[in-house]
Amino acid sequence: MGYGQAYAMRDGRNMGEGSVCQVSTRATRREWRKLLASATKIVELVPKYKNRFGERGERVVAWFPPDEFGPESARIMWYDGGTCYLYISAPTLDIALEFERMNAYAY
């Protein structure tokens, strides 16, 4: 469950953003921990980060290896302990951070 939005960049690379949801908080926490364990590098982890809506949650900036969705990616993720977590995925950390700064994401 959740949603995903893909973007084609002018240089031919892709990026995306969206949410991943599970049927329960317990299942989402398990998926979140599994996801973080798969990161090749955690760049930043802020446990009580306030998002643009004023909600507090864990914000993680990390690098991930290639997977079924594409090549190595930088991701910014946010999880408030509920049934969904949010993400931005881009080919570089600079692109992901700029996308976040511009509030260009749908969520």
Side-chain angles (χ1 to χ4, degrees), residues 32 59 95:
W32 178 255
R59 179 180 179 265
I95 292 169

Side-chain angles (χ1 to χ4, degrees), residues 30-66:
R30 185 172 46 248
E31 182 70 24
W32 178 255
R33 287 191 297 273
K34 183 179 170 184
L35 179 64
L36 294 183
S38 72
T40 53
K41 181 179 181 182
I42 302 287
V43 176
E44 180 180 53
L45 192 150
V46 181
K48 294 183 181 176
Y49 183 84
K50 191 184 284 188
N51 71 10
R52 68 184 181 147
F53 303 112
E55 302 162 332
R56 292 200 180 273
E58 185 173 56
R59 179 180 179 265
V60 177
V61 179
W63 280 98
F64 288 86

Side-chain angles (χ1 to χ4, degrees), residues 65-92:
D67 61 17
E68 68 271 16
F69 301 109
E72 178 183 50
S73 62
R75 297 184 196 167
I76 301 171
M77 304 175 301
W78 185 82
Y79 177 54
D80 68 354
T83 58
C84 299
Y85 65 84
L86 308 172
Y87 69 89
I88 297 169
S89 178
T92 71

